[in-house]
Amino acid sequence: MEGGPHKADKTEFTECWRTSWKTPYIMRLAFSAGIGGLLFGYDTGVISGALLYIRDDFKAVDKHTWLQETIVSMAVAGAIFGAGFGGWFNDKYGRRKSILLADILFFIGAIVMAVAPAPWVIIIGRVLVGLGVGMASMTSPLYISEASPARIRGALVSTNGLLITGGQFLSYLINLAFTRTKGTWRWMLGVAGVPALIQFFLMLSLPESPRWLYRENKKDEARAILEKIYPAHEVEDEMKALEISIEAEKADTQFLGAGIFSKVKSAFSNTVVRRGLYAGITVQVAQQFVGINTVMYYSPTIVQLAGFASNKTALALSLITSGLNAVGSIVSMCFVDRFGRRRLMIVSMFGIIACLVVLSVLFMQASSHAPPISAFESNHFGSNSTCSAFLKAPDASSWNCMSCLQSSSDCAFCSNGNNKYHPGACLALNDDVRGLCRSEKRAWYTKGCPSKFGFFAVLLLGLYIISYSPGMGTAPWIVNSEIYPLRYRGIGGGIAAVSNWVSNLIVSESFLTLTEAIGSAGTFLLFAGFSAIGLVAIFFLVPETKGLQFEEVEKMLEKGYKPKLFRKKTSEKASDAS
């Protein structure tokens, strides 16, 4: 691993299976640590469905968009601090204790959310699980990498990424399973405590990372662990490799300085590293500003915006997006080394932009073709049940469902009893009126309107995920593991990861506010614009790192990277001048 990136190809996955079969202890290590990735995926995905029922239980959440966004995004905010704190804790106390602490945070956070009597308590629980997510996101793959044989290391680390997307898919299944259970969202959020508890007890029986032990001068303990992982004739070579690696790490610390600020300053003052950071930060920010986590965090809400009123239906259809995301991770593992990181990202961005533009058009059409509001239908439930904004509007005769929902946070649409696409009622948003509407077998809409375009919107969301997952879903992380010189790999990857989490926070904290301010169509069109900017930035700033050693990447960045198209033009001008 020290000489360059270690790739996980088909041969390696076969070797991984053979080695794990011969030495089950290796798989036990990887699986136990990998539960952290599963928890990471579960806690970031489960809120999308739980939010639908939190809105039903707490009217303040239903009425205030910023409160919904805060509940969702506080896990991301916690992850930013968790990742920073986790880096220090990893070095100070070891990988194993870091995973144990993350499990404690996951478990306490899950219990706090499950028993929360008010929205602010849910937010505290989300911050706690966010801290756990931040620690797990960096510690689990690190532990797996340091406690597995070099020849299958890439394959085992890749399974952590697969478990993250698998955890997101599991969260949607759990959400769907608890839709008819008393306490709905409390069970959805509280279940996360179970795998955290399982991992905690599994990790108690497992050793510390041999690399960390060696660095702490516990060489005999490190050797004892390596003897369980490697054949006897390979142990001595691994001990020598550890010695060389630790000495290089100490030399880097002396060169870069011990403090975080001195390391950041040193990174940006180095031309090669600075160019690497331009590429690394670009792909990480682009990954978030294509809007992926609006889909992963708010998928059921988006499905409701597309015209599906039922919470259960919204959750069932959202399984498509999370399932395709997990499948995309597998596709990426198979093709990223064959086609290259840069090419996959560029093709991925073209698909993302196309899907977002078409989604925007579909939501625009859905809005303009929303069912009209009928005064007769509205009065059918009594004047006290009709939305006050509709009664006071001077142009109420021109209102449709979307006008009703956008006019006030206190309005809802009750569909026509014969056909949901026919004129319906604009009613006051409260539990009594909702009960009257549903008692007549009518659908109750608070986010989106009945639409014949809804099914196509869900299909487009699926295509969006198919475009995103194999390229922009995984390639940015691979690029960041390869783009920096060896001694700057840690600090460079850390800076890029923070940029990813901060971008994630900005997008997740603003999505619902944007849909209220400029509509669903405008929001997706805005993400398409950000994606186009990201595509241009990737084209000009991000080189191909497939199959290159760190030294080759360094030489390429030292010269300054230019796309092939512009390199040809430059060379032609130079030859003409000569």
Side-chain angles (χ1 to χ4, degrees):
M1 286 293 283
E2 300 305 322
H6 192 75
K7 303 175 184 64
D9 56 21
K10 186 178 179 181
T11 305
E12 185 175 294
F13 281 104
T14 304
E15 179 65 20
C16 177
W17 173 256
R18 288 175 181 170
T19 303
S20 301
W21 183 260
K22 291 179 182 177
T23 315
Y25 186 73
I26 295 170
M27 187 53 69
R28 182 183 163 195
L29 286 171
F31 173 76
S32 299
I35 295 176
L38 185 77
L39 284 164
F40 177 178
Y42 186 90
D43 277 304
T44 53
V46 70
I47 195 63
S48 61
L51 186 64
L52 303 180
Y53 297 93
I54 293 171
R55 290 199 321 238
D56 289 344
D57 279 8
F58 298 111
K59 297 309 172 189
V61 176
D62 194 35
K63 290 185 178 181
H64 299 292
T65 298
W66 65 268
L67 200 48
Q68 296 174 42
E69 291 170 331
T70 302
I71 289 172
V72 170
S73 60
M74 277 304 99
V76 180
I80 296 172
F81 291 99
F85 172 75
W88 170 81
F89 197 90
N90 263 287
D91 289 339
K92 183 75 174 175
Y93 299 104
R95 293 34 167 154
R96 179 171 167 272
K97 288 181 179 177
S98 294
I99 293 175
L100 291 172
L101 178 58
D103 287 331
I104 292 170
L105 290 168
F106 277 128
F107 183 77
I108 295 174
I111 299 302
V112 167
M113 290 187 292
V115 301
W120 65 268
V121 182
I122 300 176
I123 291 171
I124 291 174
R126 290 289 289 168
V127 171
L128 288 172
V129 297
L131 290 168
V133 164
M135 293 189 71
S137 67
M138 64 172 303
T139 308
S140 292
L142 186 62
Y143 181 87
I144 295 170
S145 175
E146 294 180 351
S148 56
R151 62 182 177 276
I152 62 169
R153 185 175 292 143
L156 287 177
V157 173
S158 295
T159 60
N160 185 70
L162 182 60
L163 282 168
I164 292 173
T165 54
Q168 290 175 331
F169 182 69
L170 177 64
S171 72
Y172 281 78
L173 287 175
I174 296 293
N175 282 345
L176 197 58
F178 284 114
T179 53
R180 295 190 179 277
T181 305
K182 186 178 180 181
T184 54
W185 61 270
R186 297 183 185 278
W187 286 103
M188 295 172 184
L189 298 175
V191 161
V194 177
L197 207 59
I198 292 171
Q199 186 182 42
F200 183 86
F201 286 108
L202 284 173
M203 291 304 299
L204 285 176
S205 64
L206 292 176
E208 181 51 79
S209 153
R211 179 185 174 85
W212 186 84
L213 289 170
Y214 194 99
R215 196 180 67 182
E216 296 295 309
N217 290 319
K218 298 179 180 179
K219 298 179 182 179
D220 291 338
E221 293 180 45
R223 180 185 290 275
I225 297 165
L226 291 176
E227 287 173 350
K228 294 182 179 181
I229 298 171
Y230 288 91
H233 65 278
E234 293 182 16
V235 173
E236 198 57 44
D237 290 338
E238 286 302 314
M239 287 294 289
K240 289 179 181 177
L242 274 180
E243 181 181 1
I244 293 170
S245 178
I246 298 299
E247 290 301 320
E249 186 180 296
K250 290 178 180 177
D252 289 345
T253 301
Q254 290 177 353
F255 178 80
L256 299 174
I260 184 67
F261 293 108
S262 62
K263 290 180 180 179
V264 171
K265 183 179 178 182
S266 177
F268 277 99
S269 62
N270 184 300
T271 303
V272 172
V273 182
R274 187 168 63 250
R275 287 171 177 167
L277 283 168
Y278 290 158
I281 293 173
T282 291
V283 294
Q284 293 287 31
V285 173
Q287 184 192 62
Q288 294 303 318
F289 273 88
V290 300
I292 180 59
N293 279 319
T294 62
V295 176
M296 300 314 298
Y297 298 160
Y298 297 105
S299 185
T301 301
I302 294 172
V303 171
Q304 288 188 331
L305 289 170
F308 296 92
S310 165
N311 286 350
K312 189 174 181 180
T313 302
L315 285 171
L317 291 174
S318 296
L319 276 171
I320 297 172
T321 59
S322 58
L324 288 173
N325 196 32
V327 171
S329 299
I330 300 172
V331 172
S332 177
M333 289 161 65
C334 296
F335 292 102
V336 72
D337 284 324
R338 182 179 299 178
F339 296 109
R341 298 83 166 102
R342 174 182 162 85
R343 183 184 297 178
L344 272 182
M345 285 190 291
I346 289 174
V347 171
S348 179
M349 288 296 270
F350 273 114
I352 287 168
I353 293 168
C355 289
L356 287 172
V357 169
V358 177
L359 264 174
S360 178
V361 172
L362 280 176
F363 275 101
M364 203 177 296
Q365 290 297 313
S367 179
S368 61
H369 290 84
I373 297 297
S374 163
F376 174 79
E377 285 288 322
S378 299
N379 292 329
H380 168 74
F381 294 95
S383 58
N384 290 334
S385 299
T386 305
C387 173
S388 59
F390 175 72
L391 293 173
K392 297 174 183 177
D395 57 343
S397 59
S398 64
W399 274 34
N400 65 13
C401 168
M402 198 58 68
S403 310
C404 172
L405 298 184
Q406 292 177 347
S407 66
S408 168
S409 60
D410 295 323
C411 294
F413 179 77
C414 181
S415 67
N416 189 290
N418 298 318
N419 188 319
K420 64 181 180 180
Y421 302 117
H422 288 174
C426 185
L427 303 179
L429 179 59
N430 61 60
D431 291 341
D432 292 336
V433 177
R434 179 178 62 181
L436 289 172
C437 174
R438 289 179 174 173
S439 67
E440 296 189 6
K441 308 285 186 194
R442 299 172 180 235
W444 179 257
Y445 294 85
T446 59
K447 293 297 177 185
C449 296
S451 172
K452 295 178 181 178
F453 301 98
F455 180 70
F456 297 103
V458 174
L459 285 179
L460 257 296
L461 281 176
L463 285 174
Y464 168 85
I465 293 294
I466 291 172
S467 299
Y468 168 86
S469 188
M472 288 305 296
T474 54
W477 298 102
I478 299 173
V479 167
N480 272 281
S481 72
E482 301 172 336
I483 199 72
Y484 311 109
L486 187 57
R487 67 174 58 194
Y488 288 96
R489 186 171 48 178
I491 188 65
I495 293 171
V498 169
S499 69
N500 181 281
W501 283 113
V502 171
S503 302
N504 187 336
L505 179 62
I506 293 170
V507 171
S508 60
E509 183 67 36
S510 61
F511 175 69
L512 294 179
T513 300
L514 283 171
T515 59
E516 285 190 352
I518 59 177
S520 304
T523 301
F524 285 113
L525 196 60
L526 182 64
F527 284 135
F530 287 142
S531 300
I533 295 170
L535 173 61
V536 173
I538 289 171
F539 181 78
F540 283 104
L541 295 175
V542 183
E544 181 56 73
T545 56
K546 181 187 74 169
L548 299 179
Q549 296 294 319
F550 284 120
E551 293 79 9
E552 295 174 297
V553 174
E554 190 170 349
K555 287 179 182 177
M556 177 172 57
L557 292 175
E558 194 173 354
K559 294 177 183 177
Y561 174 73
K562 284 185 180 180
K564 276 186 179 179
L565 184 67
F566 290 87
R567 286 205 301 267
K568 287 179 182 178
K569 288 183 178 181
T570 304
S571 60
E572 286 172 6
K573 287 180 181 180
S575 61
D576 291 341
S578 61

